Amino acid sequence: MRTEGAWSFLLPGFLARQPYAMLTISIVLLVEHTTGSFGLAGAVSATAGIAMAVIAPQSGRLADRFGQGAVLFPQVFLHALTIAALIAVAVLDAPLWALFVAAVPAGATAPQISPMVRARWAARLQSTPLMTTAAAFESVTDEFTFVVGPVLATALCTGVHPAAGLVAEAAVSLVGGLVFAAQRRTQPASARAGGAGGKEAPVHGADGGTASALAVPGARVLVAAVLGIGMVFGGMQVSLTAFTESIGRPGINGVMYGAFAAGNMLAAVAVGAIRWKRGPQTRLLAAYPALVLAAALVAVAAQLGPWAVLLGALGTLAGLCVAPCMITCFTLIETLVPAGARTEAFTWLTGAVALGQAAGSTVAGQLADHSGAGAGFFAPLAGTGLALLVLLAFRGALHPPHGSLVAARGLGHRTTVPVD
């Protein structure tokens, strides 16, 4: 917190990232209200999530090249306009295809504040042990948004108007995004501006041209891991919505999802406070099986009966298992990818979360519609199970190659520095 300029981007960044946790659940609640179908609501939400996942890394590359402010200023205005169009399509009973068409730009224009904040931390703390602490702090902040965002969105949609959640999402995104974009002094130097004496050089492909951060094999493995975590988020959102409505208590949906996110946040605090003796690769391979087991317990408990307390407790346990996986993925990506592709790399991970949310929402919605409210909880189990197989099969890619520029910045190759 004593890092120079930290508070100038932390406070507006906290406000600007709240809409990320509100967007998908607000779409689910609005579309389910206007159509009466959880499957359709999940599919529309998934469409927005897929658009976000596809476009977000491209906006990250633009931010690396031209600067964060240059990307954010037009993006937040476009997002507000596209959210307004989606609301109009939903409440005016437009054809179903129009919902999907409107969802694409709504998701594609969603500002990616969290990767930009992480990139600002990395620009100041690279090659120091504090980078792991900063990654844990950002995970705490992200998960706190998943405590506040769903509760606020649910309260607005159920207590004010079904579209109120999206209205608030667009308003907070616009105001918070503009304030954050105005903090130009703390943004990483763009590649176009020379990037801090060349340290921000982009990733280069074999032909000498600029390559994506996904050219690094370990980055692709981490994207798969985070994709599974995203399916936990999306599957839990839709499944808890269906579950609480099936027991006649829709108002506790936000509270139950908030309990899941609170567990995530508490675990993130612990991860940041502990002085780890094991490397991040080992920690990830130990934490991910625990997440799969927790998802299995939630899925089984949902089949036993309408026991909200039991499901809420197990949901909190699942949240406790998410944070160690998420934090370690973001810590590893910083050691694997060169500095000039940092924002893009972080955005690939957050985009993978959005894509996982989309897949989780779709699968969970279809299962809830056709097999009962409790069946949707099998979506997080399937997503994390497949991601674990990828992690185990390609775990060797999580170690930076020795002798490379990136390896010199790895956790095992850092020069000892004094820390105040």
Side-chain angles (χ1 to χ4, degrees), residues 15 62 75 85 93 118 156 175 231 256 304 306 337 340 371 398:
L15 174 65
L62 290 174
Q75 191 173 37
D93 293 326
R118 292 176 188 272
L156 290 171
V175 174
M231 286 198 68
M256 292 188 69
L304 300 179
V337 176
S371 303
L398 299 178

Side-chain angles (χ1 to χ4, degrees), residues 59-104:
S59 68
R61 294 189 76 178
L62 290 174
D64 282 328
R65 183 176 181 184
F66 298 105
Q68 295 179 0
V71 173
L72 271 179
F73 275 114
Q75 191 173 37
V76 292
F77 284 105
L78 285 173
H79 185 63
L81 291 174
T82 56
I83 289 295
L86 177 59
I87 293 172
V89 168
V91 300
L92 294 177
D93 293 326
L96 294 180
W97 61 264
L99 284 171
F100 291 95
V101 171
V104 172

Side-chain angles (χ1 to χ4, degrees), residues 125-208:
L125 301 177
Q126 62 175 326
S127 301
T128 74
L130 284 177
M131 188 55 216
T132 300
T133 306
F137 176 79
E138 284 305 304
S139 186
V140 172
T141 307
D142 282 340
E143 298 321 314
F144 187 70
T145 67
F146 280 96
V147 175
V148 176
V151 175
L152 177 61
T154 301
L156 290 171
C157 291
T158 58
V160 180
H161 187 276
L166 281 178
V167 172
E169 188 273 345
V172 174
S173 181
L174 180 61
V175 174
L178 288 175
V179 175
F180 180 82
Q183 312 306 312
R184 294 184 179 274
R185 185 174 64 88
T186 57
Q187 73 175 2
S190 64
R192 200 179 197 187
K199 292 183 181 180
E200 303 295 321
V203 183
H204 291 290
D207 59 354

Side-chain angles (χ1 to χ4, degrees), residues 112-130:
Q112 299 297 308
I113 301 298
S114 179
M116 293 184 178
V117 174
R118 292 176 188 272
R120 295 187 187 214
W121 276 122
R124 282 156 177 75
L125 301 177
Q126 62 175 326
S127 301
T128 74
L130 284 177

Side-chain angles (χ1 to χ4, degrees), residues 22-38 41-42 45 90 149-159 161-166 237-238 240-242 244-245 250 253-254:
M22 299 172 64
L23 180 61
T24 55
I25 187 65
S26 296
I27 292 175
V28 167
L29 293 171
L30 174 61
V31 176
E32 191 278 330
H33 174 80
T34 57
T35 66
S37 170
F38 281 109
S45 176
V151 175
L152 177 61
T154 301
L156 290 171
C157 291
T158 58
H161 187 276
L166 281 178
Q237 282 181 346
V238 173
L240 286 174
T241 301
T244 54
E245 290 207 1
N253 173 40

